[in-house]
Each structure stands twice: as structure tokens, then as C-alpha cells.
Amino acid sequence: MYAYAVMSNHMHVVLRIDPTAAARWNDEEVAVRWVRLFPATKGGDVDDAGCRQKEATLLGNTDRLNACRQRLGSLAWFMKALNEPIARRANREDACTGRFWEGRYKCQALLDEAAVLTCMSYVDLNPIRAGIAGNLESSSHTSAVQRIERVRSSPTLGNESLKPINPSMVSAHLPITTEAYLDLIDWSARIARADKRSRIDATEPPILRKLGLTGQQWHHQMMGTETRYWRAIGTPRSLMEKAAAIGQAWLKGIGSAQLLMRRQVA
């Protein structure tokens, strides 16, 4: 998980998934991972003996084990495991039944590093755009605040490559330090607040040049995460390649991205 923002009625997450990873795990690892996520319980507490029995049962059922392997690499099952307990708890607290979330989750493929960073910024700035926070430090329940607190407790982390919130042995780093990312979203917050006046601060963060984006292109892509794009986010070329890969002639976002690039060249 690279970014998250929990709001009053919805949430955003930026994830990196590898659906093929589970295929490399042996049966024992699949069983252990599955039971860790969905343990046996007794009286509301985890039942260690029941968990061991559940693992043994899984290992003796090839079809069930294969289904668990597939689900461990599935974004849909991740969202189910995240959303369902929240919905059940909220309904218990409100003494009601029925659907808690508005509908099924929406997802977008992030096709390059620039798309990942713009989407992360969009997510981290949700409270500021919604007007419920004035700055990053007061943006409760976001990955930005978590990163700020980590850097404050251990300043050397700011000079390390930007990692996921929950790094693993195979986590991919992004081409930016944690400190540079926090500076980038702080700058992005200022241009987001100035959006109605279409004003872009002239002092653009150096990382934009590395990503091959101007300040206006960054602003266009970040603020258009949910409106200018639909199934995927990226450059016009990466979007066209994605469209071809899934058998489509076009993807939403290609036209506006091309137009912006032509304006920058002109």
C-alpha cells in the first residue's frame, strides 16, 4: 500500500498488486497466509488450535487450496476483506442492516511512475480538497500524516527512497525520497487551493523534470484522477498501449492528455 485516505463516507487506497506472486508459494505458505487473514475464532478471539486444524483441512483439499491461492492475488478479494468487516461493524454500531458502501469499488490502473505519484498525491490531499483540513499535518487518517510522523521520529527516513506504507522484502521503491514526496504534495496542495484562479507556483519541485512533466501537466493529471480518466491513468502513449492490450481503440483521458501536451509544445 503506497497511499490511503479515510474519509467520512469513503476511502481511497493506492496499491501495487502482483497476481502471479501466489503461484510461486508452496501449498503450506498459501494455507498459512489464508488462515492468517481468515482465522478460526472462538468467542470472538483467534483460536490457535482451530487455525492449525483449518490449515490442515486446506492442505487436504486441493480445489479449495487453489481457490485460496487465486484469491490471495485478487484485488477484488482484498477489497472484500477490507470493506466487509467495516460494513458489518458500522451496521452493528448503528443497529441497522443493508448496504453500507455506495457500491462496488472502482479501480484504475496506474501505468507509469508519474501516474503512481499523481494518484498518491490526489489521495493524500483528499481532506484538503474537501475543506476539512488546512494542511498536510492536520489531514487525519492519511498516509501523508503517517509518513510525516515517521520522518519526525527518525529524520534519516526522509532521505530514503519512497516505500510503501507496509514495505515487504519485494516492495518496489519509487524514484523519489520520502522528503521530496512530502515537499511535492505540499506544493500540490497549494496549487489545488489555487485551482479556481488557475495559478501555478513557478517554483516547481525538481522531481517533475525527472518524471518528464511540467507543473501544469502534473496539476492536470492529479486533479483529473477521477474525472479525466476512467480505467487507467498515464501518458497518452501508455494509455494507447493499454487500450490496445485490452482490445479497445480508446481510453478516457487520452484526448485531454494529448491536448495538454500540444499546448505545452506550442
Side-chain angles (χ1 to χ4, degrees), residues 33-219:
R33 285 175 177 266
W34 184 261
V35 174
R36 186 187 305 153
L37 290 171
F38 303 101
T41 59
K42 181 183 291 184
D45 297 322
V46 174
D47 179 10
D48 292 336
C51 287
R52 290 191 293 271
Q53 179 59 47
K54 188 173 182 179
E55 290 173 14
T57 302
L58 272 177
L59 290 170
N61 187 333
T62 302
D63 290 341
R64 175 63 177 167
L65 192 68
N66 288 337
C68 293
R69 187 188 299 275
Q70 186 275 328
R71 290 170 180 175
L72 285 169
S74 166
L75 176 61
W77 268 83
F78 172 86
M79 295 305 298
K80 170 184 168 62
L82 177 63
N83 288 339
E84 185 175 317
I86 295 173
R88 290 183 182 275
R89 178 174 175 176
N91 283 347
R92 283 197 304 270
E93 292 178 354
D94 293 339
C96 66
T97 59
R99 179 179 293 176
F100 175 75
W101 304 103
E102 285 187 8
R104 191 175 185 273
Y105 74 94
K106 300 175 183 178
C107 66
Q108 295 168 296
L110 306 177
L111 303 181
D112 50 47
E113 291 173 338
V116 173
L117 289 169
T118 53
C119 191
M120 287 175 62
S121 298
Y122 180 84
V123 167
D124 274 325
L125 294 177
N126 253 245
I128 292 176
R129 286 199 316 277
I132 60 178
N135 52 46
L136 292 178
E137 290 80 358
S138 60
S139 299
S140 302
H141 313 303
T142 64
S143 49
V145 167
Q146 186 171 340
R147 293 186 191 279
I148 289 170
E149 291 174 349
R150 286 182 179 178
V151 171
R152 282 177 175 170
S153 62
S154 182
T156 57
L157 294 177
N159 297 321
E160 294 182 358
S161 297
L162 188 65
K163 303 173 184 176
I165 290 295
N166 55 334
S168 68
M169 294 295 290
V170 294
S171 294
H173 298 179
L174 290 168
I176 182 175
T177 65
T178 299
E179 185 176 353
Y181 173 70
L182 293 175
D183 288 342
L184 176 63
I185 55 176
D186 181 63
W187 176 80
S188 300
R190 293 197 299 273
I191 65 173
R193 287 194 294 265
D195 187 48
K196 291 183 179 179
R197 298 188 296 276
S198 299
R199 179 174 61 83
I200 303 293
D201 191 337
T203 55
E204 298 174 358
I207 184 62
L208 294 186
R209 291 194 296 273
K210 188 173 182 179
L211 294 172
L213 297 175
T214 65
Q216 194 137 8
Q217 287 170 329
W218 170 269
H219 182 245

